[in-house]
Amino acid sequence: QVQLMESGGGLVQPGGSLRLSCVASRSIFSIDAMGWYRQAPGNQRELVATMDSSGSTNYADSVKGRFTISRDNGKNTIYLQMNSLKAEDTAVYYCNAHIVRSVRAEYDYWGQGTQVTVSS
């Protein structure tokens, strides 16, 4: 199991930047994939960006070229650098950890979320 804690959310103006952090309670070497998801009021939770243990990344089309996911294994931390923020990026952002033991044993862990509001 793993506990996740996000930070870095807040209010930012359109076109601005924000960096989110997620600290895991265990070494991220043992986590198969980590990522960021977001949910705006009235919307379903959607994938923003993921990174597996080999460093391969995946981004939602809506954030490609603007957001970058990265990690620091020594600090058990993943980051989401968000640039050129738009009003439609406003949402609660959640950190996710995915662990695969077998095809019949997969686990997902979630942080409590951090609010990102893009507004003038």
Side-chain angles (χ1 to χ4, degrees):
Q1 63 182 39
V2 58
Q3 294 179 332
L4 305 171
M5 182 174 66
E6 304 100 332
S7 63
L11 176 65
V12 64
Q13 295 181 339
S17 298
L18 208 59
R19 189 194 194 205
L20 305 183
S21 300
C22 173
V23 181
S25 63
R26 61 187 286 184
S27 173
I28 59 177
F29 280 117
S30 64
I31 301 175
D32 294 292
M34 297 188 70
W36 293 93
Y37 294 72
R38 68 186 183 188
Q39 186 169 19
N43 293 348
Q44 294 182 317
R45 186 174 298 185
E46 64 177 358
L47 180 149
V48 177
T50 61
M51 175 180 285
D52 68 18
S53 59
S54 72
S56 296
T57 58
N58 183 41
Y59 294 92
D61 289 340
S62 60
V63 306
K64 286 181 179 178
R66 299 189 298 121
F67 291 9
T68 303
I69 187 171
S70 61
R71 69 187 182 194
D72 186 331
N73 292 332
K75 296 182 178 180
N76 294 341
T77 301
I78 64 166
Y79 305 93
L80 184 68
Q81 179 66 48
M82 304 184 293
N83 298 324
S84 301
L85 283 162
K86 306 174 181 179
E88 51 263 45
D89 295 318
T90 296
V92 177
Y93 284 70
Y94 297 91
C95 182
N96 168 263
H98 186 69
I99 298 175
V100 179
R101 298 283 183 84
S102 71
V103 295
R104 299 180 63 183
E106 300 183 11
Y107 305 89
D108 279 290
Y109 301 91
W110 298 90
Q112 63 184 354
T114 185
Q115 177 71 48
V116 173
T117 302
V118 184
S119 176
S120 60

